[in-house]
């Protein structure tokens, strides 16, 4: 066989492929899913929350080590109050359920984003879940809530500047790694794969720094309709990509 014609064989079975260490998911399409059914947008978010439960469990079961889901962006506060309240209710229900029912779970829960905007009750549930799950040995599930990639970078820059001012850090020592260490995802690998259902071709301010070399898989399915098979499909597509990280 010609040396230069060495093509990766097509991989089709997820048990044979190398899994990404970190998957990001932009859970998009809840509103359209509801509209198609003549339902309020909140019904789409409820269905989306069920899909989130199912897919997070599936990722953990198949051995994914880090999963980050985009649940609420810094821009989502612009939505009608009714919709925001419905989302907050869903977060509260999930966080209460996690504390109550996931005692023997292996999943480590983390929240990324500016949590100061949430109600004291939600904030407490977030902290309790992080504390309760921190010593587990399974998948790290990052729930991005009031998260924006730009806001994350601004916060990191402010903390870096403060540490330089206090002589905790020298300006010459600021490297890419140092910046990564000041982000919410500090200590975790960058996402290898980012899945965006609902067909939109945008990053929407999701993991801006961390996604520099992520493979994006855009899927033509609305998030509430997203099934384990769609995740498998994305994993197979990812496995068949040729990642070069700027090399050849
Ligand atoms: C984007 O779809 C989705 C959101 C802004 C909310 C995502 C939240 C969930 C799936 C619930 C998660 C729940 C927990 C417990 C983490 P969209 O509303 O912008 O859809 P559209 O583009 O079709 O209008």
């Amino acid at each position: 066989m010609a040396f230069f014609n060495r093509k990766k064989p097509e991989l089709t079975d997820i048990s044979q492929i190398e899994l990404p260490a970190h998957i990001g998911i932009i859970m998009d399409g809840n509103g359209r899913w509801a509209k198609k059914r003549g339902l309020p947008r909140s019904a789409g978010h409820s269905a989306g929350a069920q899909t989130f439960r199912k897919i997070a469990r599936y990722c953990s079961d198949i051995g994914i080590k880090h999963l980050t889901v985009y649940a609420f962006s810094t821009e989502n506060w612009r939505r009608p109050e009714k919709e925001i309240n419905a989302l907050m209710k869903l977060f509260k229900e999930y966080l209460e359920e996690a504390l109550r029912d996931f005692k023997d779970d292996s999943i480590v829960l983390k929240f990324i984003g500016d949590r100061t905007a949430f109600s004291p009750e939600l904030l407490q549930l977030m902290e309790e879940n992080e504390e309760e799950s921190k010593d587990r040995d399974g998948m790290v599930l990052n729930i991005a809530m009031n998260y924006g990639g730009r806001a994350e970078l601004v916060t990191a820059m402010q903390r870096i500047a403060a540490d330089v001012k206090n002589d905790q850090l020298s300006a010459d020592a600021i490297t890419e790694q140092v910046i990564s260490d000041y982000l919410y995802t500090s200590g975790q690998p960058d996402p290898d794969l980012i899945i965006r259902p609902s067909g939109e071709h945008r990053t929407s301010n999701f993991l801006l720094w961390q996604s520099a070399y992520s493979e994006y898989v855009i899927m033509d399915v609305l998030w509430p309709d997203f099934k384990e098979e769609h995740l498998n499909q994305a994993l197979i597509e990812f496995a068949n990509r040729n990642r070069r990280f700027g090399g050849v």
Side-chain angles (χ1 to χ4, degrees):
M1 193 171 92
F3 183 67
F4 51 81
N5 203 13
R6 212 174 33 184
K7 192 167 174 267
K8 277 210 290 190
E10 184 82 4
L11 297 165
T12 52
D13 179 350
I14 74 143
S15 64
Q16 299 170 350
I17 63 177
E18 196 180 325
L19 294 173
H22 186 168
I23 300 180
I25 305 183
I26 301 177
M27 304 187 289
D28 194 16
N30 297 344
R32 275 163 283 170
W33 183 92
K35 194 169 176 207
K36 265 178 38 182
R37 288 164 177 75
L39 297 170
R41 292 178 61 81
S42 57
H45 294 313
S46 291
Q50 287 304 101
T51 302
F52 153 74
R53 286 175 169 85
K54 178 180 69 187
I55 296 299
R57 178 66 50 203
Y58 182 63
C59 285
S60 158
D61 288 348
I62 64 173
I64 299 299
K65 299 282 182 249
H66 301 261
L67 171 68
T68 302
V69 293
Y70 207 2
F72 195 86
S73 77
T74 44
E75 289 71 38
N76 286 151
W77 297 108
R78 294 181 195 145
R79 296 191 175 204
E81 199 182 336
K82 212 167 135 196
E83 183 172 344
I84 294 175
N85 290 341
L87 280 164
M88 297 301 144
K89 187 160 173 273
L90 289 172
F91 298 149
K92 179 170 173 279
E93 279 169 9
Y94 176 74
L95 297 184
E96 285 173 345
E97 175 189 315
L99 275 182
R100 190 182 60 235
D101 301 338
F102 300 174
K103 291 250 179 277
D104 301 323
D105 213 300
S106 65
I107 296 179
V108 178
L109 265 173
K110 288 185 193 265
F111 300 92
I112 64 168
D114 174 11
R115 56 182 80 187
T116 59
F118 294 110
S119 68
E121 190 186 21
L122 207 51
L123 191 60
Q124 192 183 340
L125 281 167
M126 289 158 94
E127 284 169 359
E128 281 180 43
N129 267 290
E130 283 184 334
E131 183 57 32
E132 182 76 28
S133 67
K134 71 178 192 320
D135 296 324
R136 296 180 186 161
D137 59 359
M139 181 180 83
V140 176
L141 170 57
N142 299 300
I143 305 185
M145 282 171 58
N146 193 24
Y147 174 87
R150 287 185 171 189
E152 178 181 38
L153 282 165
V154 169
T155 307
M157 300 306 160
Q158 287 171 341
R159 289 179 48 223
I160 288 173
D163 284 352
V164 169
K165 197 170 159 203
N166 298 333
D167 289 330
Q168 303 285 313
L169 180 69
S170 130
D172 300 336
I174 301 170
T175 58
E176 292 187 8
Q177 185 57 50
V178 168
I179 294 177
S180 293
D181 292 343
Y182 277 77
L183 301 178
Y184 295 124
T185 48
S186 167
Q188 300 192 49
D190 287 339
D192 309 284
L193 166 66
I194 296 184
I195 302 172
R196 180 154 197 166
S198 96
E200 305 291 354
H201 291 239
R202 281 191 291 276
T203 64
S204 295
N205 209 5
F206 184 53
L207 301 177
L208 288 185
W209 174 273
Q210 300 90 330
S211 66
Y213 288 102
S214 303
E215 294 292 329
Y216 258 83
V217 172
I218 313 286
M219 306 188 81
D220 209 7
V221 53
L222 302 173
W223 176 247
D225 290 329
F226 195 94
K227 307 264 180 308
E228 290 89 340
E229 294 75 46
H230 295 105
L231 195 100
N232 289 348
Q233 218 178 302
L235 290 172
I236 288 163
E237 161 114 29
F238 169 78
N240 286 295
R241 298 254 179 108
N242 187 8
R243 298 181 86 195
R244 293 192 296 278
F245 299 95
V248 285

